[in-house]
Amino acid sequence: MARTRSVLIVEDDPLTGPSVAGLLECERIEATLATTANEALGALRRRDFDVVLSDVRMPGRSGIQLVGEVRELRPDTPVVLMTGFATVDAAVEAMRAGAFDYLTKPVRPEELLLSIEHAFEVRTLEAQTRAASAHDGPASLGDMVAESPALRGIFSLIERVADSRSHVLITGESGTGKELVARLLHETSRRAEAPFVPVNCAAIPEGLLESELFGHVRGAFTGAVASKPGLFQLAEAGTLFLDEIGDISPELQAKLLRALEQREVRRVGGSQAERVDARVVAATHKNLRSEMEAGRFRRDLYYRLNVIPILIPPLRERREDIARIAEAFVARTAGTKERSLSPEALELLAAQNWEGNARELENTLERALLLSDARVLEPVDLRALLSDQPAGEEPSATADHFEALAARGISLREIENRLIRAVLKRTGGNKVEAARRLGISRRTIYRRCEEDPGLGDVARG
């Protein structure tokens, strides 16, 4: 028999509190009523509740103050706040305090129940993830290996929810590997044989994104010379990955919500709805709760997408994974050549903050591999390339690096050409942009490309 879920209601209004309690009890949710923050804290000291639902303005402590005290007393218990005096500043303050959600009175029953149900689900998933991450030793999934408890927990969660039809929302800083996690979800699921279709919502002009997602019929707009299926149709039976979902317009958010709810799309200019079976995995580096309260992101779409939330911590909070990522990247990039990192080089990499996360780490390693002929990369091959060198260390680190290259008999000309090659690769072969970044004339870089066939090949892509 399933355990009865419980909610602690903190509400001083003599009508609202009992009314909300009655609504929850009709849904077979145990409701306990407290009229002050002090009374609520006393109840929380005596027992655990699945969710705390609190008014903001109350005698004594406010609901926002209560959030902080609940987080200290019962850190796993989500707090949903309600207020009749909603402002963007108050919502932001509530989210910063750690509130799970922020509802405006009068709260519609369906909105309240949806928020509480979501809080139940998130708490359960987080508890399961913590239990999985508590085991010692690395965990593997696909080609990835995790050392940190956080990433081990994400692997465990992926394995549990891979075959679910529920949508997933992946959050985390830029460069943390959100698309990689989305691909793991797809490859671990029964949908693995069907397409994985990624789209960066921020990279497509707003006027074209609707057509890209849902398709269009012939003549729908200027240039629509033929009907075209959308990405939802192309991802049929597979996974549609919507990266940077926080950047789509409110108008398109409404259409996306309908597609997710009805599991059907209508092409631009068309009149017939088409059924689709694509699991949607969305990702963003933005705080969507703050975006909701600022009126830039729909609350109902947020809940529709955030059925299964996955938060990827930044690399600086899971330093145990840095060595694994670095070794895997070097092995993959080196190809048939034997290239590796010394223990001292791995230790140096693990000590960096990596504000750009795994993307910055991989870019640094790519430059190091291009600029060094060493089979085993040492700290001297890396220091000059690190972005967060302490003040005063960079000049000596750079000198050490180039002294080491000179000691291997590498000429200044070759060192310059390696640097040009690395920048050309970063600019996609754009010689004009590479010259600008290097601070040299276009004539110089064109001449070097003519003289060195290797540089010319990079410039031609």
Side-chain angles (χ1 to χ4, degrees), residues 39 57 86 225 342 397:
E39 189 179 339
R57 295 195 178 187
V225 296
S342 72

Side-chain angles (χ1 to χ4, degrees), residues 234-345:
L234 295 179
E236 181 66 20
T239 301
L240 176 60
F241 176 55
L242 301 178
D243 198 8
E244 300 303 348
I245 191 70
D247 290 308
I248 67 174
S249 68
E251 294 76 17
L252 190 53
Q253 289 175 32
K255 295 176 181 179
L256 178 59
L257 175 65
R258 186 181 185 283
L260 297 179
E261 289 179 336
Q262 304 297 325
R263 294 191 179 272
E264 62 183 29
V265 298
R266 184 176 285 108
R267 299 191 191 198
V268 176
S271 57
Q272 298 296 318
E274 301 176 42
R275 297 291 295 175
V276 290
D277 175 27
R279 185 192 198 177
V280 171
V281 177
T284 180
H285 70 280
K286 293 185 175 180
N287 185 331
L288 290 188
R289 291 184 186 174
S290 297
E291 294 293 299
M292 283 191 300
E293 299 310 327
R296 293 188 291 266
F297 201 84
R298 295 178 63 107
R299 187 182 299 272
D300 44 8
L301 177 58
Y302 171 76
Y303 285 129
R304 181 62 62 181
L305 291 169
N306 198 37
V307 178
I308 301 170
I310 298 178
L311 170 63
I312 308 177
L315 205 54
R316 60 187 172 275
E317 293 180 10
R318 48 187 181 92
R319 295 182 185 276
E320 306 97 313
D321 295 323
I322 292 176
R324 291 281 188 178
I325 295 172
E327 289 175 327
F329 179 79
V330 168
R332 185 170 66 250
T333 305
T336 56
K337 298 179 181 178
E338 289 189 13
R339 308 292 296 274
S340 62
L341 292 149
S342 72
E344 293 77 15

